[in-house]
Amino acid sequence: MAANPMSQFDVYRIGPEIKVGAFDISFTNASLFMILSTVSILLIFNLGSKKNSILPNKIQLLAELSYTFVSKMISDTAGSKAKPYFAFIFSLFMFVLFCNMFGMIPYTFTVTSHIIVTFVLAAFIFIGVTVIGFIKHGFGYLKLFVPSGVPAVLLPLIVVIEIISYLSRPISLSVRLFANMMAGHTMMKVFGGFVISLGIVGGWLPLSFSVALTGLEILVAFLQAYVFAILTCIYLNDALNLHH
Amino acid sequence: MVKKIYFQSIFFSFFFIKEAFAAESGGMPQLNPEFWVSQIFWLILTFGIMYLVLSKLILPKISNNLESRKSQILENIEAAEKQREDSNAKLKEYDEIISKSKLEANSIFNQAREKALKDIGAKREVLDKQIDNEIAGAEKEIDALRKNAPDKINKIAIETSSELLQKLIGAEVNNSSISAIVDDLSKRNGDKYYGN
């Protein structure tokens, strides 16, 4: 077992190298955990939607509670116009949640601790929201950058700030998730390393930290998935209901 | 003292561990672009398939389940409400029937009583009349008897007197003279004898 706390984020090939043109699309441990997450999501929700009993069993209750949780989150933040995007936000929330949670199992790989994964998701959301905004409002969508009730003197400055904040959305969205996941897992690994190196005498202190951190990290895993989904809803809300 | 040594040993061991990590660390694997394309490819593939299956197959089913449960619960509530209303109406009807039949029973009872009272009254009247008639007849008879009584007594007195006189005197006495005397006596003392 490598002592390096960053080695848990190493991506390595499983099986042969697959190349399409110049691109390496080999099956890696990251791919394995993506597939594991999606398959478990599909399995759970398929089981949860199979039977339609008036009194739901546990798995059906789980599926329906998740459904109502996400649909309430969307309708609270983005209103009823966001209903067509429910399936996407639901998938997004579940994907991020399951990847985060799979990462909490020892010796697993955390898909969302890689900037490239979170950035692709965030960039897709950013482009999608921008496209939706322009389709819904045409060039009127640019009014998003001009808040109402601002004195004319400040307007150029405000517009620049608004544009920068809008453009930094994919970065902030992706870095937030990636950094949270990476920092948490690194910290746990560091404290785990202390337990081994301090041995039976001093190892109890970092071990108790590790236990506490595990609870915290499970909370963070859920919270970051929630934040990711709710920020998507807020961006969608900007695109659907132009307030300015 | 033991505590101090314990924490000191922890503190110093940090340095060793840090050195060990520093020796091995080779930067963040996240920034190594070797598998970026692979990760993007597999992300799009898995997420895309999951999105399609969820949006086309699973989520509509869940929403359907939720809707059908909601509607069924609403239906059941409606049915229960309706049944309650029905039972309330039936209860009202039942109460009405009971109160109506009570009234009817009361009126029947009253009628029967009135009729019985009337019958009794009529019978009593008839009886009263009969009794009155009988009383009147008896009174008449008594009256007649009373009216005839002095004459008869007078007659008896006259006859007895004449017979007594005959036996005493041995001679026939004129009845008319005796009768005059008796009449005179009876007129004078009649009231005493008959209590009139």
Side-chain angles (χ1 to χ4, degrees):
Chain A
M1 187 66 211
N4 187 342
M6 297 308 276
S7 68
Q8 61 175 318
F9 302 118
D10 279 339
V11 181
Y12 49 85
R13 210 174 271 123
I14 298 174
E17 188 179 342
I18 305 165
K19 277 210 166 199
V20 177
F23 299 115
D24 181 5
I25 54 162
S26 311
F27 190 78
T28 62
N29 53 347
S31 326
L32 176 70
F33 279 96
M34 285 175 197
I35 289 173
L36 224 60
S37 301
T38 50
V39 165
S40 22
I41 291 166
L42 292 179
L43 215 67
I44 286 172
F45 286 97
N46 187 38
L47 280 176
S49 65
K50 235 179 197 167
K51 270 198 297 181
N52 176 22
S53 48
I54 287 297
L55 212 64
N57 55 18
K58 277 174 191 163
I59 196 124
Q60 192 187 345
L61 190 67
L62 180 74
E64 284 169 1
L65 283 179
S66 315
Y67 186 97
T68 46
F69 174 73
V70 176
S71 84
K72 195 173 181 305
M73 177 175 81
I74 293 172
S75 62
D76 281 352
T77 49
S80 55
K81 276 190 205 164
K83 226 168 187 183
Y85 311 104
F86 168 75
F88 176 74
I89 289 167
F90 185 84
S91 316
L92 193 71
F93 175 68
M94 283 299 152
F95 184 77
V96 175
L97 180 68
F98 271 70
C99 286
N100 290 354
M101 286 301 184
F102 262 111
M104 288 311 298
I105 302 167
Y107 297 106
T108 55
F109 178 82
T110 319
V111 177
T112 44
S113 69
H114 274 253
I115 180 74
I116 188 66
V117 174
T118 59
F119 186 75
V120 167
L121 287 175
F124 180 75
I125 291 160
F126 175 75
I127 294 166
V129 163
T130 309
V131 168
I132 289 166
F134 276 111
I135 287 172
K136 293 263 173 192
H137 306 287
F139 282 104
Y141 186 53
L142 293 175
K143 273 189 270 178
L144 184 69
F145 304 123
V146 190
S148 56
V150 174
V153 185
L154 283 174
L155 212 54
L157 190 67
I158 294 288
V159 167
V160 170
I161 290 172
E162 286 279 336
I163 288 171
I164 291 170
S165 85
Y166 188 80
L167 292 178
S168 65
R169 274 175 178 184
I171 298 161
S172 69
L173 191 60
S174 59
V175 168
R176 183 180 297 112
L177 178 58
F178 144 74
N180 266 291
M181 285 299 111
M182 189 192 68
H185 284 77
T186 311
M187 198 144 76
M188 284 180 74
K189 189 65 182 279
V190 168
F191 277 103
F194 285 162
V195 176
I196 302 297
S197 62
L198 294 179
I200 194 85
V201 187
W204 296 102
L205 196 67
L207 182 67
S208 56
F209 266 121
S210 244
V211 171
L213 271 179
T214 307
L216 180 75
E217 279 306 303
I218 287 172
L219 177 74
V220 167
F222 174 78
L223 204 66
Q224 287 306 317
Y226 181 68
V227 165
F228 202 85
I230 210 160
L231 280 173
T232 309
C233 290
I234 288 169
Y235 298 160
L236 201 60
N237 181 40
D238 278 345
L240 293 173
N241 316 303
L242 204 55
H243 286 308
H244 296 299
Chain B
M1 193 62 196
V2 178
K3 218 174 167 185
K4 199 178 168 191
I5 292 170
Y6 176 78
F7 281 108
Q8 269 178 353
S9 69
I10 289 172
F11 182 75
F12 284 119
S13 55
F14 271 85
F15 288 102
F16 295 118
I17 289 160
K18 267 198 177 154
E19 269 177 15
F21 282 151
E24 277 185 53
S25 91
M28 279 163 62
Q30 283 94 337
L31 300 179
N32 174 17
E34 188 190 345
F35 289 107
W36 277 10
V37 177
S38 154
Q39 273 172 301
I40 293 169
F41 169 77
W42 285 100
L43 173 67
I44 291 168
L45 188 73
T46 52
F47 188 82
I49 290 171
M50 186 191 74
Y51 170 72
L52 283 179
V53 175
L54 275 179
S55 65
K56 297 280 173 247
L57 296 176
I58 292 173
L59 290 179
K61 242 195 270 175
I62 293 178
S63 107
N64 210 27
N65 290 354
L66 286 171
E67 283 296 312
S68 76
R69 175 176 308 133
K70 214 182 197 176
S71 66
Q72 197 156 349
I73 286 170
L74 277 181
E75 261 170 41
N76 284 358
I77 286 173
E78 249 169 51
E81 201 93 331
K82 208 177 165 196
Q83 272 173 0
R84 206 179 58 183
E85 266 168 32
D86 277 5
S87 62
N88 272 350
K90 283 233 170 94
L91 199 68
K92 230 183 199 174
E93 222 171 279
Y94 171 76
D95 275 348
E96 244 166 48
I97 287 172
I98 282 191
S99 62
K100 218 174 172 182
S101 56
K102 255 187 196 165
L103 272 179
E104 221 167 291
N106 237 359
S107 75
I108 287 173
F109 176 72
N110 278 344
Q111 268 177 10
R113 205 172 65 169
E114 261 170 43
K115 204 177 164 194
L117 282 177
K118 231 187 217 169
D119 275 7
I120 288 170
K123 269 187 190 157
R124 189 187 277 158
E125 253 173 47
V126 170
L127 273 176
D128 277 354
K129 236 181 214 172
Q130 226 170 320
I131 288 166
D132 281 352
N133 280 347
E134 259 166 54
I135 287 171
E139 272 177 356
K140 241 183 218 167
E141 232 168 276
I142 290 167
D143 266 357
L145 279 175
R146 194 186 274 161
K147 261 183 202 161
N148 291 341
D151 285 350
K152 272 185 186 165
I153 290 168
N154 282 0
K155 217 175 175 181
I156 293 166
I158 291 162
E159 275 169 15
T160 339
S161 325
S162 69
E163 255 173 64
L164 273 172
L165 283 175
Q166 216 171 355
K167 281 216 175 129
L168 282 172
I169 314 168
E172 192 84 25
V173 188
N174 198 2
N175 260 7
S176 59
S177 59
I178 292 171
S179 80
I181 294 165
V182 168
D183 275 350
D184 188 44
L185 272 172
S186 76
K187 260 175 202 164
R188 254 194 288 162
N189 298 329
D191 291 345
K192 218 195 299 173
Y193 297 142
Y194 305 120
N196 283 345

